């Protein structure tokens, strides 16, 4: 270990020597020369003795002094003692001179000041050399504590240079010491611009090589490695960046993943500014770029994204976490003061086949589209509203329409969908890839999303042949059954309120039998046995024993309703499970390769499944969209066929945004920037007007277990808001709205209410803005929520 670290310390010293030869990436930082007086020598000053400033006394008398005993920041400040005043406010002044400005740009002027005694006043101004002002604080009343004074101004003419006088000619200043420090004038328009760093312009370790593709010059790592930090200094590239202002910044990168996709899609960057040591704590590992990033010029680069390989794309690295692909949450980059605007940033090579064009920094208060980062143009402060802000599309229906939870599918989820299924996070191989080392992070997030919004949660999945821990197959049968039980118990303990639990997935197509690369623990569960599927029965018995009775147990498979033989085999399993009361719900995956079948055939097989008198869920619906027209036509044919069937209690789409499983088939129904495809627009209209029915058995499965008043949506609202509440049994309830004085404003419902989840609409058109309260009351319930009307 000692030998390994000594060369790194030598490398660190050498790199700082080399950095002095790198020109800063930008030069438009603090516009006032010596605004904090740090370039001045302590003592009495006159005329032009203060670099960047001019002192003028045309009436009265005053003494200007650079001091180091009373400062706001740094080591120096200006002290002014006024002995006598003149006839004009400008008779005693100091002027920050030769300030570069750009016509049409907006600027922020800020300065810190205080006085020895109360009563002191000064004028803070900025303007042209002909004394026409762009802005002023006249007068600024000083206190005895350091205080910041701020103004903003716009250059409304063609001037390119400005001056910033400070006037001291006020009677309250006589024999009263005034202190000035840290004058800053910052170009706000330039502050919005991202800081672009070309990857080839740094100090590159020998493991990097440069290449070109059209007009793009990039770097790539030629020595493949794994691990959590660069193996040696040859794999590190170092850059010096000068920032326009102190503040907090996000880090972005423009990259291209090579043809080997997930074997070409990782690199490192420094965990904060500075030259980094060779250890995991000093570096952030980015792994999973093959399914991340943004390419369209209008895309806002704000989360993981979902672009694929072999395309140039932007990714935001700071504050983003992708647990499914081991993408660590990155830091924000903080430039702490005006004295440290030039910083060092390092990146490290990991897998070859990843091409890096540039990195960029943008202030955290701004968002950037792809074209902003490509061209270095200004970002914007407010995200545009999503095309749909809620409530969920199926909120009027008795049946849910849900979706999968993953990093790429998460944005704006609750505005569209009202049921949650984790895509990969609930698979045993995702949770426990290393024996007894559980990773619950993304699964926790999906469960929290469901519970926070009172959406049903479908757990996917306990037992399956695919995506299972590799270590399970090598154990003895007794060890396997012990690990399976531990897995069931861990899920039940961590997630006590699972509405629907997929116990076994794809029993007809991907059992855990060790074939075709699948996990091998079928025999530990009893093998095929006398029924041909004893292992399934064992799994359901264990689930019924471990999970609460309120959790509905499901089976799930694909290519069922398009195949009569598969339907018959599926029904054999289901009816055997029914004989022991082990199953509550049937799952049928609605993948695109299933729904190409004839509609009459699919309806007939749904009827057969429905003959069990168990509710059916369409669990993994995706409808390909090579063109908008083809996708829309397919949605109109397929979705109503499923949703209108009386045995179907809900549909779960297997993704809706780019980055979903059938991304290449364009099964997504919104674009990366949130724009809705025609199929999504049609789906909203359909769910607003559809009049679907549920069979009696399915109705029972969807009856809530408790009285509950949910938070209204939207909130704040103007003028209408939706209020959902659940009733577990036929009973008398009232739903009323009150103002802050306790006066009744409206009765939304009063009388006998049937069991179920209900929605009332409150219209505040004729009411003033303010806080209102909605109360649900009855024999067994009293609940109140707070609502905010903003007009």
């Amino acid at each position: 270990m000692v030998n390994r670290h000594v060369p790194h310390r030598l490398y660190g010293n050498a790199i700082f020597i080399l950095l002095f030869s790198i020109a800063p990436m930008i030069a438009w930082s603090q516009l006032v020369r010596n605004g904090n007086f740090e370039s001045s020598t302590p003592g009495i000053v006159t005329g032009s003795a203060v670099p960047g400033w001019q002192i003028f006394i045309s009436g009265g008398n005053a003494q200007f002094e650079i001091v180091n005993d009373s400062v706001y920041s740094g080591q120096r400040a200006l002290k002014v003692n006024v002995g006598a005043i003149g006839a004009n406010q400008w008779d005693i002044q100091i002027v920050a001179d030769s300030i570069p400005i750009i016509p049409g740009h907006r600027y922020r002027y800020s300065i810190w000041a205080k006085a020895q005694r109360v009563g002191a006043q000064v004028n803070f101004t900025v303007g042209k050399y002909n004394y026409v002002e762009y802005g002023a604080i006249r007068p600024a009343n000083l206190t005895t504590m350091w205080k910041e004074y701020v103004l903003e101004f716009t250059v409304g003419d063609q001037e390119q240079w400005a001056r910033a006088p400070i006037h001291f000619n006020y009677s309250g200043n006589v024999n009263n010491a005034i202190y000035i420090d840290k004058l800053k004038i910052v170009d706000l328009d330039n502050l919005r611009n991202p800081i672009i760093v070309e990857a080839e312009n740094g100090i590159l370790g020998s493991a990097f090589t440069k290449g070109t593709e059209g007009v793009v010059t990039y770097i790539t790592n030629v020595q493949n490695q794994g691990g959590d930090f660069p193996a040696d200094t040859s794999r590190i590239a170092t850059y010096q960046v000068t920032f326009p202002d102190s503040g907090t910044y996000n880090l972005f990168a423009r990259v291209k993943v090579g043809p080997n996709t997930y074997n070409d899609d990782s690199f490192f960057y420094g965990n904060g500014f500075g030259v980094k040591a060779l250890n995991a704590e000093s570096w952030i590992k980015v792994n999973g770029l093959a399914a991340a990033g943004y390419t369209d010029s209008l895309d806002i680069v704000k989360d993981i994204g979902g672009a694929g390989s072999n395309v140039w794309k932007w990714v935001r690295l700071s504050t983003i976490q992708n647990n499914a692909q081991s993408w660590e949450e990155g830091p924000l980059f903080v430039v702490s003061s005006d004295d440290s605007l030039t910083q060092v940033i390092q990146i490290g090579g990991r897998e070859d086949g990843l091409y890096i064009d540039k990195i960029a920094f943008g202030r955290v208060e701004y968002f950037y589209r792809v074209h902003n980062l490509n061209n270095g143009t200004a970002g914007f402060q407010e995200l545009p509203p999503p095309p749909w802000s809620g409530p969920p599309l199926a909120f009027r229906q008795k049946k849910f329409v849900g979706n999968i939870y993953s990093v790429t599918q998460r944005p704006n989820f609750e505005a569209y969908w009202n049921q949650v299924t984790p895509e990969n996070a609930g698979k045993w191989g995702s949770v426990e890839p290393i024996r007894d080392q559980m990773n619950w992070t993304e699964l926790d997030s999906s469960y929290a999303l469901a519970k926070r919004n009172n959406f049903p949660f479908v757990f996917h999945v306990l037992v399956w042949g695919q995506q299972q821990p590799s270590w399970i197959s090598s154990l003895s049968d007794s060890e396997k059954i012990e690990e399976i039980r531990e897995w069931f118990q861990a899920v039940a303990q961590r997630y006590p309120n699972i509405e629907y639990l997929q116990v076994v997935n794809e029993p007809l197509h991907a059992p855990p039998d060790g074939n075709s690369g699948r996990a091998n623990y079928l025999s530990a569960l009893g093998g095929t046995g006398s029924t041909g599927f004893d292992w399934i029965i064992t799994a359901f018995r264990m689930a019924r024993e471990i999970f609460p009775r309120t959790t509905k147990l499901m089976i799930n498979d694909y290519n069922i309703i398009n195949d009569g033989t598969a339907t018959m085999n599926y029904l054999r399993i289901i009816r055997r499970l029914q004989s022991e009361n082990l199953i509550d719900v049937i799952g049928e995956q609605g993948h695109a390769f299933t729904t190409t079948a004839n509609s009459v055939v699919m309806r007939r097989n749904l009827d057969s499944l429905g003959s069990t008198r168990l509710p059916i869920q369409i669990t993994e619906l995706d409808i390909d969209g090579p063109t908008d027209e083809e996708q829309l036509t397919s949605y109109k044919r397929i979705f109503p066929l499923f949703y209108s069937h009386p045995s179907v209690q809900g549909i779960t789409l297997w993704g809706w945004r780019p980055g979903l499983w059938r991304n290449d088939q364009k099964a997504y129904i919104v674009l990366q920037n949130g724009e809705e495809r025609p199929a999504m627009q049609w789906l909203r209209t359909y769910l607003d007007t559809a009049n679907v029915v549920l069979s009696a058995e399915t109705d029972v499965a969807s009856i809530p277990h408790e009285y509950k008043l949910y938070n209204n949506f939207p909130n704040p609202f103007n003028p209408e808001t939706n209020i959902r509440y659940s009733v577990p049994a036929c009973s008398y309830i009232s739903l009323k709205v009150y103002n802050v004085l306790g006066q009744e404003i409206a009765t939304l419902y009063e009388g006998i209410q049937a069991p179920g989840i209900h929605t009332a609409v409150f219209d505040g058109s004729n009411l003033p803005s303010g806080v209102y309260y909605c109360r649900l009351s009855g024999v067994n319930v009293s609940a109140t929520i707070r609502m905010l009307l903003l007009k």
Side-chain angles (χ1 to χ4, degrees), residues 223-236:
Q223 297 180 9
N224 203 37
Q225 74 154 86
D228 295 323
F229 57 92
D232 54 60
T233 58
S234 72
R235 304 168 192 268
I236 296 175

Side-chain angles (χ1 to χ4, degrees), residues 633-778:
T633 298
S634 295
Y635 256 91
K636 288 180 176 179
R637 178 180 71 88
I638 296 166
F639 197 93
L641 185 152
F642 291 152
Y643 203 64
S644 64
H645 194 282
S647 292
V648 171
Q649 71 174 179
I651 293 177
T652 303
L653 276 67
W654 210 243
W656 62 299
R657 299 173 57 87
L660 77 175
W661 180 60
R662 292 184 69 81
N663 203 69
D664 291 344
Q665 293 79 19
K666 299 183 178 179
Y668 45 82
I669 51 178
V670 300
L671 303 180
Q672 192 67 264
N673 64 0
E675 180 183 349
E676 296 179 352
R677 297 182 73 182
M680 174 66 90
Q681 297 168 5
W682 171 84
L683 183 60
R684 180 191 298 107
T685 302
Y686 170 78
L687 291 171
D688 272 346
T689 57
N691 184 21
V692 298
V693 296
L694 285 164
S695 65
E697 291 78 15
T698 308
D699 262 333
V700 170
S702 63
I703 291 175
H705 301 293
E706 61 180 344
Y707 291 96
K708 192 162 187 177
L709 177 61
Y710 304 113
N711 289 329
N712 59 305
F713 189 94
N715 192 29
F717 66 98
N718 179 24
E720 290 186 350
T721 188
N722 298 286
I723 302 166
R724 297 171 66 238
Y725 58 101
S726 61
V727 178
C730 187
S731 57
Y732 177 92
I733 64 103
S734 73
L735 187 71
K736 297 184 178 183
V737 177
Y738 301 85
N739 62 18
V740 293
L741 300 177
Q743 299 167 323
E744 183 178 325
I745 299 300
T747 297
L748 304 181
Y749 187 89
E750 190 167 19
I752 301 298
Q753 181 79 76
I757 296 179
H758 307 277
T759 300
V761 177
F762 173 55
D763 185 352
S765 298
N766 299 321
L767 296 172
S769 296
V771 174
Y772 295 86
Y773 296 92
C774 181
R775 181 180 301 157
L776 176 68
S777 57

Side-chain angles (χ1 to χ4, degrees), residues 123-141:
N123 296 339
F124 296 122
T125 69
V126 60
K128 300 190 287 188
Y129 279 83
N130 65 359
Y131 309 118
V132 174
E133 294 175 344
Y134 291 125
I137 303 175
R138 181 183 287 109
N141 297 307

Side-chain angles (χ1 to χ4, degrees), residues 172-238:
N173 300 343
V174 176
N175 299 319
N176 185 2
I178 297 169
Y179 296 87
I180 303 294
D181 201 357
K182 199 177 181 181
L183 170 61
K184 287 177 57 177
I185 297 179
V186 176
D187 186 331
L188 293 177
D189 288 328
N190 272 337
L191 199 63
R192 293 168 52 198
N193 293 345
I195 305 157
I196 308 298
V197 181
E198 296 291 343
E200 69 274 14
N201 288 345
I203 298 174
L204 306 181
S206 60
F208 283 101
T209 186
K210 298 180 184 179
T212 60
E213 182 179 291
V215 298
V216 176
T217 301
Y218 59 84
I219 66 170
T220 187
N221 173 44
V222 296
Q223 297 180 9
N224 203 37
Q225 74 154 86
D228 295 323
F229 57 92
D232 54 60
T233 58
S234 72
R235 304 168 192 268
I236 296 175
T238 304

Side-chain angles (χ1 to χ4, degrees), residues 15-16 19 25 195 197 237-252 269-277 281-284 318 330-337 340-347 359-364:
I15 201 68
F16 278 117
L19 282 175
M25 298 299 171
I195 305 157
V197 181
T238 304
Y239 305 88
Q240 181 172 302
V241 186
T242 298
F243 290 82
D245 193 11
S246 57
T248 305
Y249 293 81
N250 280 311
L251 175 63
F252 303 84
Y269 66 93
N271 188 5
F273 291 125
V275 175
K276 298 301 176 183
E281 292 75 22
S282 298
W283 295 88
I284 300 298
S318 299
L332 295 170
F333 287 79
V334 179
V335 180
S336 58
S337 75
S340 58
L341 294 181
T342 298
Q343 297 283 346
V344 170
I345 177 71
Q346 292 187 309
I347 62 176
I359 60 175
F361 289 93
R363 292 177 69 92
V364 293

